[in-house]
Amino acid sequence: MDLSLSTETVGDRTIVRVGGEIDVYTAPKLREQLVELVNDGSFHLVVDMEGVDFLDSTGLGVLVGGLKRVRAHEGSLRLVCNQERILKIFRITGLTKVFPIHTSVEEAVAATD
Amino acid sequence: MATVELRFSALPEHVRTARLVAAAVARRAGVDEAVLDEVRLAVGEACSRAVGLHQNGGISAPVKVLLIEEEKQFSIEVGDEAPHAAPGGRVPGDGPAEADAETEEDEMGLAVISGLVDDVEVSAGEHGGSIRMRWPTTPPATLLA
């Protein structure tokens, strides 16, 4: 399965819905999307990962890169994920301390620092 | 001889194929269903790393994956042909800045593998490196329970 991406704006937040597999082959597509959003002035991103079937370290690298970019503009990058197998990868790499991870898009959109 | 041996051109689009094949052979070998996600992720990380090493080193040789069914265990060995610098040495042609960025990605992949797999051996030498991972298997349940 390839990677699917769609975006939606809610207030000052931009929701990026990701579906499929994020790996060494598809991660560049996600990176391009995040770079494009930041270049267009979207600095508060919510990445909805509920449709993601697979995530590897290349995907983690892209998310960390996205976070670095939005932070340069005092923005935020929040994740939505309830899948244990995906959450596990964030835990073993210590990235649960880096990303705010929410259980729903609504919760992520309502969240403030 | 390996139960299944896979060689693929060092291109990112083939890593998914390696994951699918590895998971299928692991399932057949009796690796617990609950662990198959970890097998899939670990072999993907090892193959992504090997693809990166071959691409960065301009190596045209394929990446090699050995899937080995043994008594009570299942092993996967992912081999690359990238020359690894000896401790203290450097691979000729590597710029220091590029080498740093590559090393970071490399380490993230290895961090995921070592976090996932209890039994893992990483070796590297002048003529290439390999990552060998092992999982326990349970014998298939007999039909006459």
Side-chain angles (χ1 to χ4, degrees), chain A residues 1 21 23 57 85 88, chain B residues 16 19 37-38 41 45:
Chain A
M1 187 191 278
E21 301 188 340
D23 73 353
S57 65
R85 60 179 178 175
K88 187 175 180 180
Chain B
R16 179 170 188 264
R19 286 201 305 266
D37 271 340
E38 294 174 13
L41 182 55
E45 294 291 351

Side-chain angles (χ1 to χ4, degrees), chain A residues 2 22-29 56 58, chain B residues 11-15:
Chain A
D2 210 347
I22 313 177
D23 73 353
V24 65
Y25 179 52
T26 61
K29 202 168 144 188
D56 73 2
T58 327
Chain B
L11 295 169
E13 52 264 50
H14 299 317
V15 172

Side-chain angles (χ1 to χ4, degrees), chain B residues 82-128:
Chain B
H84 295 259
R90 261 186 5 101
V91 179
D94 262 355
E98 264 178 50
D100 278 357
E102 282 159 20
T103 307
E104 264 178 41
E105 277 191 19
D106 200 33
E107 281 172 5
M108 178 95 103
L110 285 178
V112 171
I113 292 171
S114 51
L116 282 176
V117 189
D118 296 328
D119 188 349
V120 57
E121 277 169 44
V122 181
S123 62
E126 267 179 75
H127 304 292

Side-chain angles (χ1 to χ4, degrees), chain A residues 15 36 47 98 104:
Chain A
I15 300 151
E36 198 181 300
V47 179
V98 175
S104 69

Side-chain angles (χ1 to χ4, degrees), chain A residues 8-10 13-18 45-51 78-82 101-111:
Chain A
E8 185 194 336
T9 307
V10 178
R13 310 285 165 109
T14 303
I15 300 151
V16 183
R17 289 202 165 82
V18 191
L45 307 178
V46 173
V47 179
D48 179 1
M49 306 189 57
E50 283 301 277
R78 296 171 183 282
L79 302 176
V80 176
C81 183
N82 291 297
I101 301 177
H102 300 274
T103 55
S104 69
V105 170
E106 292 70 28
E107 186 189 295
V109 167

